[in-house]
Amino acid sequence: QKQPLEGPSWWSVANLKTFKFSDHDIPTMERGLAVSSEMPYNRIRLHFALGKAHEDRGDIERAFHFYDGGNRLRHEIATYDPAKVTNWVDQAERSYTADFFAERAGQGCLAEGPIFVVGMQRSGSTLVEQILDSHPAIEGTAELTELPTIVREQSEMAFRRGITFDQHLRRMKAEDLRAFGEAYIDRTKIYRLTDKSFFTDKMPANWLYVGVIRLILPNAKIVGVRRHPLDCCFANFKQLYGRGLEHTYSMENMGRYYADYVRLLRLVDKVQPGTIHGVIYERLVDDVEGEVRRLLDYLGLPFDETCLNFHSNVRSVRTISAEQVRRPINREGIGRWKPYEQWLGPLKAALGPALEDWDK
């Protein structure tokens, strides 16, 4: 390297996942930590790269030391407020009832094309997307920002009127809900490269809007992907993201986020039974064909063998899971948290009941 003490390049190669650092790389990166205290992002990237370097060597204590240090540094400059997500789910619990949805049945845009794949990052959502894109009737697009953008626009409209988004949603007439859904369909057309009947939208954080989706796109499908909370959350803890996702740099925040996700999807599934299809990553790994058949039955599509050969799909994947979905399903990602369990107390506490009943 021309600048051996700079963090961005070390972090970039660490992010490839398959790259293994040499014995000479570790002391070089540690020297970078010693001279770059005035550059927080440089130190943050070096910490995450050193965490991977030590993990690859089986030095779990040193690996956690650097992962934890990188997360603490990143958390110090984050602006994430966990109360916003919790309050959003609390409001949904007060608003979303069977009667609430029954009163609005048949409203919204009746398009049948969208398949929303939602969940936390590192849950297996990219794998599910890749399986779906391998079906001849489904086009995989990307992590689309259209739905969050439209919700934000509607929230701003509510703010100008001096009401909450929930109040705004409740006051919407049938034509308003239809226009809301049609706006999503119109804005996503630019991402469609085929004339296939269905398309995926794999923006993980769309889980926040599953209730909104049920109102504005009642015929859309929602696939909620879930992975063991300690595996899922610790995989996020080890990952430095390019931007956003600031809940992942604190075990407490991440545990709350996961618990809120489970709480909201469980709520909508209770008041709208059968409208959200759950995919448990571990069950998918253990019985690929059985789980794929269940998924396609939910979508109303015939089983197709190409879905089992998803790793041969040459489509472009732009997430950090790109390398994993190029290989057949394996159990490598299961139980990766266990060597680190002694340090995961704050995460367990924040998860609360979700730690035990996450897959129910």
Side-chain angles (χ1 to χ4, degrees):
Q1 295 192 33
K2 293 182 179 179
Q3 295 180 309
L5 305 185
E6 293 299 310
S9 53
W10 292 112
W11 171 65
S12 295
V13 294
N15 218 25
L16 294 174
K17 308 304 180 188
T18 54
F19 182 85
K20 304 294 184 183
F21 290 107
S22 72
D23 291 339
H24 301 291
D25 292 333
I26 292 177
T28 302
M29 286 189 280
E30 289 180 343
R31 286 201 305 274
L33 285 178
V35 301
S36 58
S37 59
E38 77 285 358
M39 301 172 62
Y41 271 100
N42 196 59
R43 290 176 58 78
I44 290 166
R45 288 166 177 147
L46 286 169
H47 269 88
F48 278 91
L50 280 162
K52 181 183 185 303
H54 286 290
E55 183 172 29
D56 288 345
R57 282 162 171 71
D59 190 340
I60 299 303
E61 186 169 358
R62 291 292 286 167
F64 183 81
H65 168 77
F66 284 109
Y67 285 138
D68 187 54
N71 276 286
R72 289 179 185 277
L73 287 170
R74 182 63 182 83
H75 180 62
E76 286 177 2
I77 57 176
T79 59
Y80 178 75
D81 179 4
K84 290 183 178 180
V85 171
T86 298
N87 291 341
W88 177 274
V89 180
D90 288 345
Q91 181 61 62
E93 287 188 327
R94 292 190 292 268
S95 299
Y96 294 167
T97 64
D99 288 343
F100 173 79
F101 288 103
E103 291 166 1
R104 295 160 178 80
Q107 300 179 16
C109 172
L110 302 182
E112 298 182 346
I115 302 172
F116 293 91
V117 181
V118 304
M120 276 190 69
Q121 285 74 18
R122 317 304 292 147
S123 65
S125 57
T126 300
L127 171 62
V128 171
E129 177 195 38
Q130 188 80 342
I131 290 171
L132 291 174
D133 179 76
S134 300
H135 193 282
I138 304 173
E139 177 181 357
T141 56
E143 296 184 354
L144 307 182
T145 60
E146 272 54 39
L147 182 59
T149 298
I150 296 172
V151 170
R152 184 175 64 251
E153 291 169 355
Q154 293 291 326
S155 297
E156 291 170 352
M157 187 183 302
F159 178 78
R160 290 194 296 271
R161 293 176 177 176
I163 59 176
T164 66
F165 175 78
D166 178 69
Q167 292 170 325
H168 178 61
L169 196 63
R170 283 180 167 277
R171 295 179 186 182
M172 281 188 170
K173 299 177 181 178
E175 55 267 30
D176 299 322
L177 293 173
R178 184 176 64 252
F180 198 160
E182 287 175 348
Y184 173 83
I185 296 297
D186 289 341
R187 296 188 194 188
T188 54
K189 286 178 180 177
I190 191 173
Y191 303 99
R192 303 295 306 279
L193 303 178
T194 74
D195 59 357
K196 294 181 179 181
S197 300
F198 300 91
F199 70 96
T200 63
D201 179 344
K202 197 198 75 70
M203 176 59 76
N206 278 342
W207 71 263
L208 288 160
Y209 312 122
V210 290
V212 177
I213 292 170
R214 293 296 306 140
L215 294 174
I216 69 171
L217 292 161
N219 292 329
K221 301 297 186 180
I222 304 173
V223 180
V225 187
R226 211 171 301 170
R227 179 184 176 194
H228 189 289
L230 297 180
D231 263 333
C232 183
C233 292
F234 189 66
N236 276 284
F237 192 73
K238 296 191 300 179
Q239 178 65 45
L240 174 62
Y241 292 98
R243 60 180 179 176
L245 303 178
E246 292 189 329
H247 63 280
T248 65
Y249 302 116
S250 157
M251 288 194 193
E252 292 86 350
N253 288 347
M254 193 158 32
R256 282 184 64 175
Y257 190 90
Y258 187 106
D260 282 335
Y261 164 68
V262 172
R263 190 159 59 106
L264 182 56
L265 264 70
R266 191 165 287 163
L267 166 67
V268 175
D269 187 58
K270 179 182 178 181
V271 299
Q272 290 262 279
T275 56
I276 299 177
H277 179 78
V279 174
I280 302 299
Y281 174 76
E282 289 78 3
R283 294 175 191 164
L284 179 61
V285 169
D286 288 339
D287 181 15
V288 182
E289 182 172 335
E291 291 300 308
V292 169
R293 285 184 180 275
R294 287 184 60 244
L295 174 57
L296 294 176
D297 284 346
Y298 162 74
L299 298 175
L301 294 173
F303 175 75
D304 195 287
E305 290 284 344
T306 58
C307 292
L308 304 182
N309 298 314
F310 63 89
H311 46 87
S312 300
N313 191 328
V314 297
R315 67 183 284 264
S316 175
V317 178
R318 296 185 177 88
T319 73
I320 59 176
S321 301
E323 184 270 332
Q324 288 98 321
V325 299
R326 302 298 186 205
R327 296 181 290 143
I329 283 182
N330 58 75
R331 298 183 60 83
E332 290 179 7
I334 296 178
R336 297 289 291 271
W337 61 273
K338 292 181 178 179
Y340 298 89
E341 184 172 11
Q342 63 179 300
W343 298 292
L344 303 185
L347 174 57
K348 291 182 177 181
L351 284 164
L355 179 58
E356 303 300 329
D357 66 2
W358 62 277
D359 58 347
K360 300 297 191 292

